[in-house]
Amino acid sequence: MGLTSIYEFLRDVRGMDEPASLAAKLAEASDPNSVITEMALSARSEICEKSMDMFVSAYGAEAGNLALKVLSVGGLYVGGGIARASSKSSRTAPS
């Protein structure tokens, strides 16, 4: 499950609106995930924001599952580009 897959689900199955300008940006982009993330973090697209919220929720849940699976008593370090972008989104996402 990736960010683009969540975006496509919201667009195709849930029928969320995809503005023509966003569709053009996604078609031109070599990495649609970066476009979706940029649009979500700048609050310029409802579908991108919802996609990012769902992704961050699943990402956090899986991090929690991993901590339980390995009996992590000292915590869990999550790093990388996805974690950095997700942390920006999770600060503004409703709890």
Side-chain angles (χ1 to χ4, degrees), residues 19 21-22 25-26 33-46 48-49:
S21 60
L22 177 56
K25 275 187 174 185
L26 290 170
N33 293 320
S34 63
V35 174
I36 295 168
T37 301
E38 175 189 330
M39 297 293 282
L41 294 177
S42 64
R44 294 189 317 211
S45 168
E46 181 184 3
C48 292
E49 288 181 78

Side-chain angles (χ1 to χ4, degrees), residues 68-83:
L68 291 172
K69 287 177 192 174
V70 299
L71 300 174
S72 175
V73 295
L76 182 69
Y77 179 79
V78 180
I82 293 173

Side-chain angles (χ1 to χ4, degrees), residues 3-20 22-27 32 36 45-48 50-51 54:
L3 186 56
T4 302
S5 297
I6 294 170
Y7 176 89
E8 290 170 350
F9 166 78
L10 291 173
R11 182 193 64 204
D12 299 340
V13 177
R14 292 287 173 98
M16 287 191 75
D17 184 45
E18 178 186 53
L22 177 56
K25 275 187 174 185
L26 290 170
I36 295 168
S45 168
E46 181 184 3
I47 188 172
C48 292
K50 182 67 174 168
S51 299
M54 290 178 75

